[in-house]
Amino acid sequence: MNIPLIDLKAQYNSLAEELNNVTLEVLSSANYIMGKNVVEFEKEFADYIGVKHAISVGNGTDALVLSLKAMKIGPGDEVITTPFTFFATAEAISAVGATPIFVDVDKETFNIDVNLIEEKITDKTKAIMPVHIFGQSADMDPINEIAKKHNLLVLEDACQAIGGKYKGRNIGTLGDVACFSFFPTKNLGCAGDGGMIVTDNDEIATILRALRTHGSGENGQKAYNLLNNIEEEIQTANGADDTVYNPLKYYNYLIGYNTRLDAIQAAILRVKLREIDKWNAKRREIVEIYNKELHNLDLVTPSVLEGNEHVYHMYILQSENRAEVLSKLKEKNVATGVYYPVPLHLQKVYKDLGYKEGDMPVAEYLSKRTFAIPVYPELEKEQIDYIINSLK
């Protein structure tokens, strides 16, 4: 038996006819940029999360960068975040000219340790960016309390956590702004790159819509006026076609980006969004089996914070003998993954920040012990049994 870490073909096959149909519909429409599918997907996603605004962009990294820009974070500012996550989290902070300030993580949940945040706040701190790592929410109530006390913004990096909940509330509604990724391996993934930003803040939403398209057009003018306290009539171009010609795109008001969700990806994601709760529930069913069967082994199974609804983007085990376990699983043709072998504070690119080994002991400890095994919802019973028996 040969079991991949994630089986994208199995997911495609389960929806092949519908995915093929919507893709061909977009192709035949010749409406590839923005348009109906993007507008409808943004509405459906906003409804699903429970927010006023959903602004689609080209990928999850762009979602983080644009959010920080819209929150007016830039050179000289500091943003507090975790070192135990994908590089894009810190990279986005650096990309806008700010400095990532790392806080160690909780040993049980792998999320930022809320007890260590306040000591890292300075007069340069502008925001806290918790990451809902592997699909489990960070402990958001104390994070929001700290943010309120120090007049800080909260940006949720929810790129791995679509559909998760914290004390009954949806991930994505727990801060000022939240970002999602639709990279193909995510729980909700498209057939390429894609991302989404959600917020209830009208001003931030307007600035985001301007930033994603070169700071131009109607949204560019609205954002410019907001930022400069100007009241004037907004130019509109009724019926303009973004795919072919929109006269307003040649009027620029902000230095922005070119980062839009393709219409084909939006059409695909509209189909998959209807399945996400079912898929996440299936992941939790598989995890229940894993936890029951593996708890007596020389492995540490994942912990879930009370009140959280985990969506298990990854099922993460810990072993003191990781290399040996991974080698044996490879012999059994069971794919695994190590997330993350080098915590961000020790990445060479951040050498100038002055961190050294031992500064984030929990993140460093986890980086040497953790690994992922398959947990995708299309796993068959015989595959699950094979993975468990291989580990045993």
Side-chain angles (χ1 to χ4, degrees), residues 84 322 338 340-343 362-370:
F84 193 65
R322 182 175 69 186
V338 173
Y340 300 92
V342 181
V362 178
E364 294 165 29
Y365 171 84
L366 294 172
S367 71
K368 295 177 174 65
R369 301 177 82 249
T370 53

Side-chain angles (χ1 to χ4, degrees), residues 120-362:
K120 296 292 185 75
I121 295 173
T122 71
D123 58 358
K124 296 179 180 179
T125 308
K126 294 295 186 294
I128 305 171
M129 191 195 295
V131 179
H132 306 306
I133 200 70
F134 304 130
Q136 174 168 207
S137 177
D139 194 0
M140 292 303 296
D141 281 353
I143 289 172
N144 284 321
E145 287 171 13
I146 293 168
K148 185 176 181 181
K149 177 181 176 183
H150 295 275
N151 196 30
L152 305 176
L153 293 164
V154 176
L155 172 56
E156 297 176 71
D157 182 339
C159 289
Q160 299 183 5
I162 176 70
K165 289 183 170 59
Y166 173 81
K167 298 182 179 179
R169 292 172 283 160
N170 287 338
I171 286 175
T173 65
L174 307 171
D176 296 287
V177 181
C179 297
F180 295 87
S181 168
F182 305 128
F183 190 76
T185 59
K186 295 296 196 291
N187 293 31
L188 179 64
C190 57
D193 275 315
M196 186 74 82
I197 309 164
V198 299
T199 184
D200 283 328
N201 186 302
D202 296 338
E203 180 176 323
I204 287 176
T206 298
I207 296 169
L208 286 167
R209 290 190 178 100
L211 288 174
R212 72 175 170 183
T213 51
H214 304 288
S216 68
E218 184 178 333
N219 286 312
Q221 188 181 3
K222 287 179 180 177
Y224 180 85
N225 290 354
L226 275 172
L227 292 168
N228 293 282
N229 296 313
I230 296 170
E231 291 188 16
E232 64 181 10
E233 187 177 347
I234 304 297
Q235 286 183 287
T236 60
N238 293 329
D241 182 353
D242 284 318
T243 297
V244 180
Y245 179 72
N246 184 338
L248 294 185
K249 81 180 203 178
Y250 301 106
Y251 295 82
N252 303 86
Y253 302 88
L254 307 176
I255 300 297
Y257 302 81
N258 179 25
T259 176
R260 294 165 294 203
L261 184 67
D262 291 337
I264 286 177
Q265 306 301 350
I268 289 169
L269 288 163
R270 292 182 70 193
V271 173
K272 292 187 174 184
L273 183 61
R274 297 194 287 268
E275 307 293 326
I276 190 61
D277 286 339
K278 180 179 74 176
W279 287 343
N280 284 341
K282 181 62 178 177
R283 287 174 183 267
R284 285 189 288 270
E285 287 177 19
I286 295 169
V287 167
E288 283 186 25
I289 298 169
Y290 280 160
N291 287 346
K292 179 181 177 182
E293 295 293 331
L294 302 177
H295 80 282
N296 285 327
L297 303 184
D298 188 20
L299 297 167
V300 178
T301 54
S303 295
V304 180
L305 187 70
E306 186 177 354
N308 274 0
E309 190 169 293
H310 204 317
V311 294
Y312 295 100
H313 169 57
M314 294 291 173
Y315 180 79
I316 302 296
L317 292 167
Q318 298 180 57
S319 173
E320 296 287 355
N321 305 298
R322 182 175 69 186
E324 185 179 0
V325 173
L326 297 188
S327 177
K328 294 293 185 182
L329 288 175
K330 187 176 181 180
E331 290 176 14
K332 298 282 190 179
N333 293 315
V334 175
T336 57
V338 173
Y339 306 90
Y340 300 92
V342 181
L344 298 187
H345 68 290
L346 298 180
Q347 295 284 354
K348 286 188 177 180
V349 70
Y350 284 131
K351 185 178 180 180
D352 291 347
L353 294 182
Y355 292 99
K356 62 185 183 303
E357 196 163 346
D359 285 347
M360 308 280 155
V362 178

Side-chain angles (χ1 to χ4, degrees), residues 20 60 63 105 392:
N20 290 345
V105 297
K392 286 183 176 179

Side-chain angles (χ1 to χ4, degrees), residues 368-383:
K368 295 177 174 65
R369 301 177 82 249
T370 53
F371 66 97
I373 62 172
V375 72
Y376 55 89
E378 295 81 16
L379 279 171
E380 302 287 347
K381 183 180 184 302
E382 62 180 357
Q383 292 176 305

Side-chain angles (χ1 to χ4, degrees), residues 81-151:
T81 194
T82 165
F84 193 65
T85 181
F86 182 57
F87 181 58
T89 304
E91 182 183 35
I93 297 167
S94 300
V96 299
T99 302
I101 303 298
F102 297 114
V103 170
D104 207 359
V105 297
D106 178 80
K107 194 174 181 180
E108 301 299 319
T109 66
F110 315 144
N111 278 314
I112 192 168
D113 188 334
V114 296
N115 299 305
L116 303 177
I117 292 175
E118 202 157 15
E119 65 191 51
K120 296 292 185 75
I121 295 173
T122 71
D123 58 358
K124 296 179 180 179
T125 308
K126 294 295 186 294
I128 305 171
M129 191 195 295
V131 179
H132 306 306
I133 200 70
F134 304 130
Q136 174 168 207
S137 177
D139 194 0
M140 292 303 296
D141 281 353
I143 289 172
N144 284 321
E145 287 171 13
I146 293 168
K148 185 176 181 181
K149 177 181 176 183
H150 295 275
N151 196 30

